[in-house]
Amino acid sequence: MIKAIFLFILAGLAEIGGGYLIWQWQREGASSWLGLLGGIALVLYGVIATWQSFPDFGRVYAAYGGIFIVLSLFWAWWVDKKMPDTYDWIGGLVCLIGVAVMLWPRS
């Protein structure tokens, strides 16, 4: 389970970071090199997600979605300096509970 969590976080950082770099390039007028690096990060995100050991594509991506939401809140807080409010954190907690339910071992 530790490996799965690590891979979810790594994939999330690649996706959010890649999207952020492309945002900076397209919306904020940053260097096109940032756009290229963002594209590379997004490709890496797609590859990293395949390293999960879960057999079902849909379940992995559904669970990853919950992790992505929480990582996005932290990104907003740490990188964009926009503090999520109480409702954002409650929503993130609900998503993590959903992730736990989806990945709960089945017999």
Side-chain angles (χ1 to χ4, degrees):
M1 186 56 95
I2 297 297
K3 178 184 174 191
I5 292 168
F6 172 76
L7 289 175
F8 280 139
I9 291 171
L10 189 61
L13 291 175
E15 183 180 11
I16 296 165
Y20 180 78
L21 291 174
I22 290 175
W23 178 282
Q24 292 299 308
W25 166 52
Q26 287 291 302
R27 302 276 303 255
E28 306 296 330
S31 168
S32 58
W33 287 107
L34 286 183
L36 179 63
L37 289 173
I40 291 168
L42 289 171
V43 168
L44 287 173
Y45 146 71
V47 172
I48 292 165
T50 67
W51 296 342
Q52 287 289 1
S53 60
F54 301 103
D56 303 318
F57 174 84
R59 184 173 295 138
V60 166
Y61 271 80
Y64 165 71
I67 302 295
F68 176 84
I69 289 168
V70 172
L71 286 174
S72 296
L73 292 174
F74 281 107
W75 187 278
W77 184 17
W78 293 335
V79 176
D80 285 337
K81 307 297 185 218
K82 307 288 185 197
M83 178 62 151
D85 65 20
T86 301
Y87 295 100
D88 294 326
W89 293 120
I90 292 169
L93 179 60
V94 169
C95 291
L96 290 179
I97 291 168
V99 169
V101 170
M102 284 185 275
L103 297 181
W104 194 265
R106 294 161 171 84
S107 54

